[in-house]
Amino acid sequence: MAMDPKKDYQGLSDECLAMIEEVRSFCEKEVKQTAIDADANPEVQDPKMMEVIAKACKLGYNAFDVPAENGGAGFTKLESVALLEAMSWYDAGFGITISANGLAGGPVVIGGNQQQKDRMYEIIMNGGIGSFCLTEPAAGCDASAGQSVAVKEGDEYVINGGKCFITNGPLASYYVVFAMTDKSKGAGHGYSAFFIDKKAEDVPGMTIGRIENKMGIRNSQVSEVLFDNVRVPASALIGKEGEGFKLAMKTLDVARITCGITAIGICQRALDEAAAYTKERVQFGAPLANNEVIQFKLADMAMKLQAGRQLCIHATDLYMQHVPFSAEAAMAKCVASDASAYISSEAVQILGGYGFMRNYPVEKLMRDSKIFQIFEGTNEIQRMVIGRSIVK
Ligand code: CAA
């Protein structure tokens, strides 16, 4: 019962449906086994997986919602969400690598000038992906507590500080960096966003620190990104000084939908693996699938999956109609990630002892799912966003 793009998503174009087929065939060949092998590699950067990511970007999988006039596919947000779910079924780390490009590009799309947008799209169309540099050791859930600073000197800004847990840090060809330009105004009005249109190695003073060794989504690269007197031209500023926090929040609203749908990719994979196993596994003289206790488990998994998916689709619809959607995006992320934690754990349960073993795919899904309750704002933060929208 894999995701049916015509039934589960309404109104996808024929081009998008064809692209979903193309993506599935690419991932079947290139991602499926490589992701399992790379996950088992104790090294944090698996060379084969890096090659697959580069290949996918060369094919334009990083550019699904880049406008056609900039050379991209010009798919709608709903279409790129459906494509992301299809990719994430194969490997959530792969999905997050691709979707974090959208996260990085968000501030440029929302608040950047045409020159910045054109440059970013040029990088993406050349196979590049981006990195969103917000989180710091003291600023996780409390995004406003960042210590990085950008000081204006003539027609440049000088950035100092350190970011951590930065997705795509070691891989990126462009970075969007948040730093304080006026501490007296607090983060809400003192943070600014900067577009650095180069690889870190090409920016004097900018370095990639520790690359993290993670429990799950091991095929997504996460690192420190460090700034030591990094000089960027004044033209790197996105929007105006002081607009950074709001740009980050608006971007995260959209990214919470894509985070949610990546978790739905895990849900669907876990359900599919578990359902297939119940038909093969015979206990007490009959396939597990004949057992009502098991059917009820599969039913609960399917209900939670579809609830999460449809919340993601609903939040995407609101976004596309320019209707406020912050609370709905938070609901989508929260329900979808809780669903992936539950469903992947139930998949392990259904496979029993085999589910716990590394040579069956579901234990990886359980490890991959956990981070979705944590990043892009913990699910406690999502409840804060939803709760505030109710009582405001
Ligand atoms: N859209 C527009 N403006 C917004 C906004 C939104 N969604 N949310 C807040 N704002 C505005 C507020 O209106 C306010 O503006 P004024 O001062 O003009 O009134 C200003 O921003 C400050 O807002 P708050 O007082 O609500 O800010 P806060 O400090 O209480 O924080 C928060 C709010 C929701 C908790 C926020 O800190 C948050 O989202 N934290 C989580 C951080 C996060 O998600 N990090 C993820 C990092 S990226 C990642 O994980 C990705 C990855 O690796 C793949």
Side-chain angles (χ1 to χ4, degrees):
M1 176 202 144
M3 181 263 274
D4 177 345
K6 283 193 183 154
K7 187 174 165 207
D8 293 321
Y9 290 81
Q10 300 285 310
L12 303 181
S13 63
D14 290 345
E15 290 75 19
C16 176
L17 294 170
M19 184 53 83
I20 289 175
E21 285 315 304
E22 184 193 312
V23 158
R24 282 176 164 166
S25 115
F26 172 84
C27 291
E28 192 66 39
K29 189 162 156 250
E30 303 279 354
V31 178
K32 200 173 182 186
Q33 188 57 46
T34 305
I36 291 169
D37 298 342
D39 171 75
N41 186 347
E43 297 299 321
V44 287
Q45 268 188 329
D46 182 80
K48 182 87 199 305
M49 193 67 210
M50 296 301 106
E51 265 174 43
V52 168
I53 290 166
K55 213 170 187 178
C57 291
K58 285 279 176 223
L59 287 169
Y61 296 178
N62 58 338
F64 287 140
D65 52 9
V66 170
E69 58 267 31
N70 289 92
F75 286 127
T76 66
K77 196 71 195 172
L78 184 67
E79 290 172 334
S80 47
V81 162
L83 283 155
L84 182 57
E85 183 187 334
M87 284 188 262
S88 303
W89 188 93
Y90 289 91
D91 182 55
F94 176 68
I96 279 293
T97 304
I98 300 292
S99 73
N101 181 48
L103 169 68
V108 176
V109 171
I110 295 167
N113 57 38
Q114 198 54 47
Q115 210 179 344
Q116 290 168 332
K117 286 180 193 170
D118 289 345
R119 173 70 186 127
M120 181 180 77
Y121 292 141
E122 185 189 352
I123 295 170
I124 295 172
M125 292 314 300
N126 280 317
I129 48 173
S131 183
F132 179 84
C133 302
L134 175 68
T135 302
E136 297 187 12
C141 283
D142 182 5
S144 67
Q147 302 294 310
S148 295
V149 290
V151 177
K152 191 144 191 219
E153 282 185 12
D155 57 1
E156 289 180 326
Y157 284 92
V158 183
I159 304 176
N160 277 290
K163 302 285 175 179
C164 65
F165 302 155
I166 301 303
T167 299
N168 289 350
L171 302 184
S173 298
Y174 72 93
Y175 295 80
V176 168
V177 181
F178 296 86
M180 195 71 87
T181 41
D182 187 347
K183 276 191 179 169
S184 70
K185 292 185 176 157
H189 299 269
Y191 248 180
S192 298
F194 297 91
F195 172 52
I196 299 183
D197 66 347
K198 292 184 177 69
K199 290 176 185 286
E201 70 213 38
D202 296 330
V203 182
M206 189 169 164
T207 47
I208 301 305
R210 189 180 62 240
I211 302 177
E212 302 294 350
N213 192 353
K214 309 193 303 304
M215 163 185 171
I217 59 161
R218 292 178 57 81
N219 299 322
S220 146
Q221 297 280 301
V222 170
S223 72
E224 297 172 321
V225 181
L226 308 170
F227 300 85
D228 180 11
N229 286 316
V230 171
R231 291 184 170 270
V232 297
S235 60
L237 179 69
I238 304 174
K240 297 198 187 83
E241 274 193 20
E243 289 182 351
F245 191 77
K246 284 182 190 167
L247 281 173
M249 292 300 114
K250 286 181 188 169
T251 299
L252 283 167
D253 284 342
V254 185
R256 284 169 185 160
I257 301 173
T258 48
C259 177
I261 210 68
T262 308
I264 292 300
I266 298 178
C267 294
Q268 184 71 66
R269 178 73 181 272
L271 179 58
D272 293 348
E273 295 287 351
Y277 182 83
T278 64
K279 291 179 200 162
E280 285 164 15
R281 175 74 170 161
V282 173
Q283 290 287 274
F284 303 106
L288 285 185
N290 292 7
N291 186 325
E292 207 172 55
V293 171
I294 298 294
Q295 288 176 15
F296 280 13
K297 272 188 186 294
L298 295 172
D300 282 339
M301 292 157 80
M303 285 190 277
K304 286 181 197 291
L305 183 164
Q306 202 58 262
R309 178 188 282 137
Q310 295 309 319
L311 276 173
C312 290
I313 291 173
H314 175 57
T316 307
D317 281 345
L318 295 178
Y319 164 81
M320 286 170 58
Q321 291 166 35
H322 308 289
V323 174
F325 68 101
S326 303
E328 287 77 6
M331 289 178 198
K333 189 270 187 190
C334 197
V335 171
S337 59
D338 284 347
S340 69
Y342 173 86
I343 294 169
S344 58
S345 171
E346 283 294 87
V348 170
Q349 189 70 20
I350 288 172
L351 269 75
Y354 293 112
F356 199 65
M357 303 303 158
R358 289 229 152 160
N359 44 352
Y360 281 76
V362 288
E363 65 83 32
K364 172 177 176 292
L365 298 174
M366 192 171 165
R367 285 185 289 107
D368 283 350
S369 72
K370 182 59 201 172
I371 190 62
F372 290 85
Q373 294 176 309
I374 298 171
F375 65 5
E376 311 251 359
T378 60
N379 283 2
E380 289 73 17
I381 290 290
Q382 308 309 322
R383 287 182 169 84
M384 189 191 286
V385 170
I386 299 161
R388 284 180 181 181
S389 79
I390 296 167
V391 299
K392 78 170 185 231

